[in-house]
Amino acid sequence: MSTNILMRPIGFVRSPYLDTAQVPKGFGAKHETQGTIEILPEYELALTDIEGFSHLYVIWVFDRSDGWELLGTPPTDTRPHGVFATRSPRRPNPIGLTVVRLVGRDGPNLQVAGLDMLDGTPVLDIKPYLSNIPESDLRRGWLAEAEIDYKK
Amino acid sequence: MSTNILMRPIGFVRSPYLDTAQVPKGFGAKHETQGTIEILPEYELALTDIEGFSHLYVIWVFDRSDGWELLGTPPTDTRPHGVFATRSPRRPNPIGLTVVRLVGRDGPNLQVAGLDMLDGTPVLDIKPYLSNIPESDLRRGWLAEAEIDYKK
């Protein structure tokens, strides 16, 4: 039951952040930072129709985080909390999750806003963000079209 | 740059679904199914304070999905789309992402609603869901308390 699972990068983040100290943290933090997600050429076809989505989930690896802990004190509090109740990088599986806004696409490269990853961060997966962005800001690409067809 | 990354389960899903055919899909699909996320005992402490959050991200493995594809036709459409523009299980890294509602906790076991995983699914990570659930439905646990302290 405790089989290990092997993951491989599907691409890498190009971000202005070279060090974690540069990433805005805590309550005032604005995440409007722009950068690029460079998908490896062999996966470019898997981006087909992604332009129709306004926001994407990016699942990535805290590749420069060293080890993990059960309890940690986040920058937004002075008290320790269970690591699964925080966004700490020091997790049993060093998985990061960020919702980004898709600004544009140039072949295998996605221009996005809202990055909080370091330059060179490996990306494991990209999924459309489908819910809970205010209706007025949301586009759902082929899915919205398909929904209209379905309702006819 | 293409280093592989090893992940290990932190727990497993207990769900009424034994087969993918039983999981509701498509536009009418309601995901209010209840079940349990059983965290392994060695990670129980990492759940500290999780009760304060109304909704959680669960990152998990499509462990019964066979292989992957660049383009696929989802149940909600008749046209193929890039796999990164869908929630298909047949992804380069077989990672699933579900937002669940936390109903209760009994030690290492989280009772949740909104499951769409099969029974026995390995879980890789749990994170608090912080944004874009309607304000009236959202609780943010220690983070909301910490925010109040911060604003004083």
Side-chain angles (χ1 to χ4, degrees), chain B residues 1-70:
Chain B
M1 286 294 267
S2 56
T3 351
N4 289 331
I5 301 122
L6 205 61
M7 305 272 178
R8 52 191 166 172
I10 57 148
F12 295 89
V13 176
R14 293 295 154 223
S15 144
Y17 301 129
L18 302 178
D19 187 281
T20 52
Q22 299 174 315
V23 182
K25 291 180 197 72
F27 293 116
K30 289 250 167 61
H31 290 293
E32 267 302 303
T33 300
Q34 298 217 8
T36 307
I37 299 173
E38 295 181 359
I39 300 299
L40 297 173
E42 60 265 41
Y43 300 116
E44 181 177 344
L45 194 61
L47 296 174
T48 304
D49 299 335
I50 208 155
E51 302 88 335
F53 294 92
S54 57
H55 295 77
L56 303 173
Y57 282 118
V58 182
I59 298 173
W60 47 278
V61 182
F62 287 104
D63 65 324
R64 274 151 282 180
S65 176
D66 194 22
W68 59 279
E69 59 196 3
L70 292 167

Side-chain angles (χ1 to χ4, degrees), chain B residues 60-139:
Chain B
W60 47 278
V61 182
F62 287 104
D63 65 324
R64 274 151 282 180
S65 176
D66 194 22
W68 59 279
E69 59 196 3
L70 292 167
L71 291 170
T73 302
T76 42
D77 205 350
T78 52
R79 294 161 291 189
H81 304 288
V83 76
F84 296 142
T86 76
R87 303 225 153 203
S88 166
R90 299 174 54 78
R91 329 179 64 77
N93 292 303
I95 299 176
L97 176 66
T98 304
V99 178
V100 298
R101 184 163 56 82
L102 182 59
V103 174
R105 176 182 164 197
D106 181 15
N109 299 326
L110 303 174
Q111 285 93 41
V112 299
L115 289 178
D116 59 357
M117 307 84 137
L118 297 180
D119 190 53
T121 290
V123 173
L124 297 178
D125 203 1
I126 291 185
K127 297 178 191 288
Y129 184 100
L130 297 181
S131 58
N132 294 117
I133 294 278
E135 199 65 31
S136 56
D137 296 344
L138 192 67
R139 289 182 300 127

Side-chain angles (χ1 to χ4, degrees), chain A residues 12-147:
Chain A
F12 295 89
V13 175
R14 293 297 153 223
S15 145
Y17 301 130
L18 302 178
D19 187 281
T20 52
Q22 299 174 314
V23 182
K25 293 180 195 71
F27 293 117
K30 291 249 166 62
H31 290 294
E32 268 300 304
T33 300
Q34 299 216 9
T36 306
I37 299 173
E38 297 181 359
I39 300 298
L40 297 173
E42 61 263 43
Y43 300 116
E44 181 177 343
L45 194 61
L47 295 174
T48 304
D49 298 335
I50 206 153
E51 302 89 334
F53 293 92
S54 57
H55 294 78
L56 304 173
Y57 281 118
V58 183
I59 298 173
W60 48 279
V61 181
F62 287 105
D63 65 325
R64 274 150 283 181
S65 176
D66 194 21
W68 60 278
E69 58 197 2
L70 292 167
L71 291 170
T73 302
T76 41
D77 205 351
T78 53
R79 294 162 290 187
H81 303 288
V83 76
F84 295 143
T86 76
R87 302 226 153 200
S88 166
R90 299 174 53 78
R91 331 179 62 79
N93 292 304
I95 300 175
L97 176 66
T98 303
V99 177
V100 298
R101 185 163 56 82
L102 183 59
V103 174
R105 177 183 164 195
D106 181 15
N109 299 326
L110 302 175
Q111 287 92 41
V112 299
L115 288 178
D116 59 357
M117 307 83 138
L118 298 180
D119 189 54
T121 291
V123 173
L124 297 179
D125 203 2
I126 291 186
K127 296 177 192 287
Y129 183 101
L130 296 181
S131 57
N132 294 118
I133 296 278
E135 198 66 28
S136 55
D137 296 341
L138 193 67
R139 288 182 301 126
R140 298 188 305 144
W142 62 265
L143 199 70
E145 293 169 30
E147 198 167 357

